[in-house]
Amino acid sequence: MQYKGFYIEIKPGTILRTAPDGEKVACPGFLIEIFDVPEKSVIVDAFTAAIGYELLGDSPSEAEQLAKDYISMEEKELRKLIHEYRKFS
């Protein structure tokens, strides 16, 4: 998926989160990776989203919306990271 010039890959998986009682819990969720080119050779950022924590439902479209929201909020910083990477590579 492409959004604002970034390429997003979303993979389902098991995500560890800390429950309110402090216990580690394995939850269904998604790994979200953000790339700057379609070849997906360099990851600009990556994060996880767990059902019941960052996401209300078990829907890839919810994970996509979370990724879009994240890019919208952090676009300037992500572009800065890309610039820095390209400057030194």
Side-chain angles (χ1 to χ4, degrees):
M1 174 178 74
Q2 183 180 1
Y3 181 72
K4 290 190 170 189
F6 294 96
Y7 298 86
I8 304 165
E9 188 168 306
I10 298 173
K11 301 174 190 172
T14 302
I15 312 299
L16 287 179
R17 290 293 182 259
T18 304
D21 64 2
E23 190 174 328
K24 295 285 183 188
V25 179
C27 306
F30 300 92
L31 169 63
I32 301 168
E33 297 174 314
I34 301 170
F35 302 89
D36 67 332
V37 293
E39 295 78 26
K40 301 175 182 171
S41 53
V42 178
I43 297 174
V44 177
D45 204 353
F47 58 96
T48 57
I51 310 315
Y53 288 81
E54 296 84 11
L55 302 171
L56 294 176
D58 187 5
S59 163
S61 62
E62 263 192 74
E64 286 178 9
Q65 188 59 52
L66 178 66
K68 288 177 180 179
D69 292 345
Y70 176 77
I71 289 171
S72 292
M73 289 187 313
E74 299 295 331
E75 183 176 5
K76 189 182 249 184
E77 187 62 29
L78 293 170
R79 295 205 186 280
K80 182 178 171 185
L81 288 171
I82 292 168
H83 177 74
E84 290 295 315
Y85 174 78
R86 288 182 181 160
K87 189 165 74 171
F88 293 109
S89 59

